[in-house]
Amino acid sequence: MAVNPRDLVAGIVFIVIGAAFGGNAWLTLRLGEANAMGPGYFPVLLGLILVGFGGAIVFSSVGKPRETFGIVPWQGIALVTAAIVFFALTVRGLGMAPSLGIATFIAAQASGRLSLPGSLLLAVGLTAFCVVMFIYALRLPYPVIGSWLRF
Amino acid sequence: MDLLSNLALGLSTAASLDNLFYCFVGAAIGTFVGVLPGIGPTATIAMLLPITYYLTPTASLIMLAGIYYGSMYGGSTSAILVNLPGEVSSSVTALDGYQMARQGKAGKALAIAAIGSFVAGTLATCVIALVAVPMTSIALKFGSTEYFALILLGLATSTALAHGSVLKAMAMIVTGMLFGIVGTDVDSGAFRFTLSIVDLTDGLGIVAVALGIFGIAEVLRNLENMPENASGAATITSLMPDREDLRASIGPILRGSALGSILGALPGGGSILSAFSAYVLEKRLSRHPERFGKGAIEGVAGPESANNAGAQTSFIPMLTLGIPSHPLMALMIGALMIQGITPGPNVVNARPELFWGVIASMWIGNVMLVILNLPLVGLWVAMLKIPYRILLPMIVAFSMVGVFTVGNSGFDVLLLAIFGLFGYFFSKLGCEPAPFLMGFVLGALLEEHLRRALVFSGGDPGVFFTEPISAGLLLVTAVILAIVAFPMIARRRKQIFSEET
């Protein structure tokens, strides 16, 4: 029997999300009554509705033409994510300039079409622009060089 | 004469040097991102939200509004010249606009698009000025019951306009609502879904979530298939349309403005629906429908006017009711909330200079855009040559810094990465980010009004059907959902949306 994998997975994901939120609310939050709703009332309601929608999407996936997921640029995705996570974890310790510079350099590799000198130039230029704009022009109280690099 | 004094107040606010400057900045940035494929106004506004923190509320809203309607102008430029619609709503313009460019009439198409947008912008500004005050006086009479119904109506229309499966769009709304109520419950003080993480007790930051699912997810999607940059841009010869062109366009421009003004003001409406409907209307009315798609000037004038009018009148529900009609307006509400202003019917009376200043700035912004877009069109064409491989690290860098500075928190930057992956994952499953963000913004509001309405009715849900206004709104909601679910119309809807890709 033909099943559209995109719809099938989407439906299952919605059921899981609905069950997780709804179940969590049911177990840990007070439900209350309709005329005096507790914190759990609305989330449980939403969870049930979402499970229902998920079920309907799974049901509708049967007998539809197959759709593929298309290509997934794993390497690029990993690099973009790595750049953001690096910035999140180091912006305080390293300071705005080094953290943003390195993160931008990592992100510049994601397309795989930017040369090494090109990426370096872009990283330095963008960092300089952001530092001038946010720290000198808008006077945000962030150190340009963080505490990790001060001896 | 109240209207005139209000408009005078607005004009004097908007014409202050500071506000003129931010209006210009907004219009210029808007044109820039509108021209560039691969980055839209929603992501741009999310990126610039942190900066608005340092402006006055009026200046920030003026700038953000400028970005929105500026992107409508910019989107049409790249649609006409290189057949790469920078914005979804310009994809209609590409149908005939690019054909005109190929016939050597690029300048005429650009001029008609700009003139149409300007006329539409002027008319839409008048519509907002006329409609807003009566709307707010109605809105002030609304109780929680009516608001609940109104929010449901807005959510229903936004699913009707989502591309792809309606079921998935509705599921995305509910998912968005669940993520939207993460944090501390205002009513009881209970922590909901905070996973014992302190940073989550204030809820998920709208900037991180919006930039993740619109900005970063879009970047990841573009990695699959890097947007080309304009190599074969059509050359622009004469910018002046002749009398024949103007005569052919005047009808479509006026009809497009009217249609766009109405459709834009609907909850869930906005520029995209307006542009498509205007194109279909012009094709119907034309004595030579076969010319459409082959460079008919009416096919540029109508949709361009409509999308600009729709973009502007979609401020009406946001400014008067405090309810966003699409994700971009949700971000505007976010911008006002950052400033400590709760959008709603009270804004007109409490902050008249903000309200009328923004409206008047739209008209001023439209004048600036005509100047920015016609004589300076060459500049934007040059911008089109920026390759995406350079744009990509820029988008990532500005998103990171923006999210960090708005919340002063590394945790929010992690959320940016998480919601970027989240948005990409769902787009792979054929689920759109727009309904998610609508649910995210409106979830807590819907809960609050549901709670209050049911407290007053003693827990009886029947109150939504016995109160006349809410019953009427719910009836419209039901009709819209029925129309969307009805197979024949669903097919027709698919047909309209497929013309866009």
Side-chain angles (χ1 to χ4, degrees):
Chain A
M1 190 165 49
V3 174
N4 183 334
R6 265 167 70 147
D7 288 3
L8 182 67
V9 175
I12 293 170
V13 168
F14 286 127
I15 292 175
V16 170
I17 294 176
F21 275 91
N24 178 294
W26 177 271
L27 293 174
T28 64
L29 297 168
R30 194 173 52 81
L31 292 182
E33 310 271 322
N35 60 355
M37 284 189 206
Y41 195 99
F42 191 63
V44 168
L45 202 67
L46 289 182
L48 284 174
I49 295 174
L50 189 55
V51 169
F53 280 145
I57 294 169
V58 168
F59 184 74
S60 73
S61 73
V62 178
K64 270 209 206 155
R66 289 185 67 92
E67 275 179 296
T68 55
F69 289 101
I71 47 162
V72 179
W74 291 110
Q75 198 187 341
I77 292 174
L79 283 165
V80 170
T81 312
I84 301 173
V85 172
F86 177 85
F87 180 76
L89 300 179
T90 63
V91 61
R92 282 188 192 288
L94 289 177
M96 181 68 90
S99 177
L100 183 62
I102 295 170
T104 310
F105 182 79
I106 299 172
Q109 306 310 309
S111 66
R113 294 199 204 163
L114 208 58
S115 66
L116 220 53
S119 317
L120 271 177
L121 201 69
L122 191 68
V124 171
L126 263 176
T127 306
F129 178 80
C130 286
V131 166
V132 168
M133 170 123 167
F134 285 93
I135 296 182
Y136 293 111
L138 292 174
R139 296 176 187 284
L140 298 188
Y142 303 113
V144 179
I145 304 289
S147 52
W148 295 354
L149 299 176
R150 290 200 208 117
F151 299 101
Chain B
M1 287 302 101
D2 224 18
L3 184 67
L4 284 184
S5 66
N6 283 332
L7 279 177
L9 171 68
L11 273 174
S12 67
T13 312
S16 81
L17 215 55
D18 271 13
N19 289 338
L20 275 181
F21 173 74
Y22 289 113
C23 184
F24 176 78
V25 170
I29 295 177
T31 310
F32 177 63
V33 299
V35 167
L36 290 175
I39 173 165
T42 312
T44 312
I45 287 177
M47 252 186 266
L48 291 176
L49 271 190
I51 294 177
T52 64
Y53 195 74
Y54 303 92
L55 309 179
T56 65
T58 311
S60 67
L61 211 60
I62 285 178
M63 184 175 86
L64 296 179
I67 295 176
Y68 182 34
Y69 54 76
S71 71
M72 298 295 141
Y73 276 76
S76 54
T77 304
S78 45
I80 290 169
L81 289 180
V82 281
N83 200 17
L84 287 175
E87 296 316 315
V88 193
S89 49
S90 322
S91 41
V92 191
T93 311
L95 297 176
D96 279 286
Y98 182 61
Q99 291 306 320
M100 284 182 73
R102 287 185 55 183
Q103 296 158 16
K105 292 189 276 191
K108 277 181 192 171
L110 285 171
I112 282 296
I115 294 168
S117 296
F118 176 72
V119 173
T122 309
L123 289 174
T125 306
C126 298
V127 169
I128 299 176
L130 283 173
V131 169
V133 172
M135 278 280 279
T136 46
S137 53
I138 297 174
L140 281 170
K141 297 199 181 82
F142 278 17
S144 281
T145 319
E146 286 78 20
Y147 264 108
F148 177 82
L150 195 64
I151 296 170
L152 276 191
L153 172 62
L155 290 172
T157 33
S158 72
T159 58
L161 303 176
H163 313 193
S165 153
V166 177
L167 256 180
K168 283 179 180 171
M170 292 205 264
M172 283 303 267
I173 288 181
V174 180
T175 311
M177 286 197 213
L178 284 169
F179 280 93
I181 58 175
V182 169
T184 312
D185 174 30
V186 273
D187 206 51
S188 63
F191 293 157
R192 295 195 282 191
F193 316 119
T194 54
L195 311 172
S196 308
I197 298 171
V198 183
D199 293 285
L200 281 180
T201 52
D202 281 342
L204 299 161
I206 184 177
V207 178
V209 171
L211 258 182
I213 60 170
F214 281 98
I216 301 298
E218 179 81 46
V219 164
L220 300 179
R221 242 190 333 272
N222 283 334
L223 281 170
E224 288 174 5
N225 204 339
M226 297 261 278
E228 308 160 47
N229 54 306
S231 40
T235 44
I236 304 153
T237 44
S238 153
L239 271 175
M240 279 312 293
D242 51 40
R243 191 169 297 170
E244 189 65 24
D245 296 325
L246 283 174
R247 216 180 39 216
S249 308
I250 185 82
I253 287 176
L254 293 177
R255 279 192 294 272
S257 305
L259 193 64
S261 296
I262 296 166
L263 293 175
L266 294 180
S271 56
I272 303 170
L273 175 72
S274 309
F276 281 111
S277 315
Y279 190 78
V280 173
L281 177 75
E282 289 310 323
K283 202 168 167 176
R284 280 274 165 74
L285 288 178
S286 172
R287 249 171 280 153
H288 305 281
E290 71 283 353
R291 290 193 302 119
F292 278 76
K294 291 178 190 138
I297 200 161
E298 299 93 325
V300 176
E304 270 307 307
S305 313
N307 79 20
N308 210 46
Q312 275 179 242
T313 53
S314 65
F315 278 80
I316 294 178
M318 195 274 280
L319 286 170
T320 59
L321 305 172
I323 292 177
S325 51
H326 46 82
L328 213 137
M329 288 299 143
L331 289 174
M332 302 257 180
I333 287 185
L336 285 176
M337 303 273 255
I338 292 178
Q339 305 265 7
I341 296 173
T342 310
N346 292 319
V347 174
V348 188
N349 296 321
R351 305 292 301 258
E353 84 293 348
L354 168 78
F355 187 87
W356 294 103
V358 170
I359 292 174
S361 83
M362 290 181 182
W363 189 76
I364 298 178
N366 273 293
V367 178
M368 290 182 181
L369 280 163
V370 171
I371 300 167
L372 271 176
N373 278 274
L374 285 183
L376 296 180
V377 68
L379 181 72
W380 305 113
V381 176
M383 296 283 187
L384 260 173
K385 298 204 171 95
I386 302 177
Y388 193 72
R389 60 176 186 273
I390 289 177
L391 224 46
L392 180 149
M394 287 169 73
I395 297 171
V396 176
F398 286 132
S399 304
M400 294 188 304
V401 178
V403 168
F404 177 68
T405 52
V406 78
N408 185 17
S409 128
F411 180 77
D412 277 359
V413 184
L414 284 180
L415 285 181
L416 172 73
I418 292 167
F419 278 94
L421 293 172
F422 180 91
Y424 179 72
F425 174 71
F426 273 103
S427 80
K428 276 285 174 195
L429 300 178
C431 302
E432 293 268 311
F436 177 88
L437 196 68
M438 290 295 284
F440 181 81
V441 173
L442 291 173
L445 205 62
L446 190 70
E447 179 183 26
E448 195 190 315
H449 288 302
L450 177 66
R451 249 181 194 165
R452 269 198 233 153
L454 289 184
V455 168
F456 289 128
S457 76
D460 174 22
V463 67
F464 296 114
F465 305 103
T466 50
E467 290 290 323
I469 298 177
S470 105
L473 290 169
L474 288 177
L475 184 71
V476 177
T477 311
V479 168
I480 288 172
L481 289 179
I483 289 173
V484 172
F486 200 62
M488 200 181 81
I489 299 172
R491 216 180 307 134
R492 165 131 195 89
R493 173 173 159 276
K494 195 182 263 170
Q495 204 177 33
I496 293 174
F497 277 118
S498 68
E499 274 179 27
E500 150 199 349
T501 40

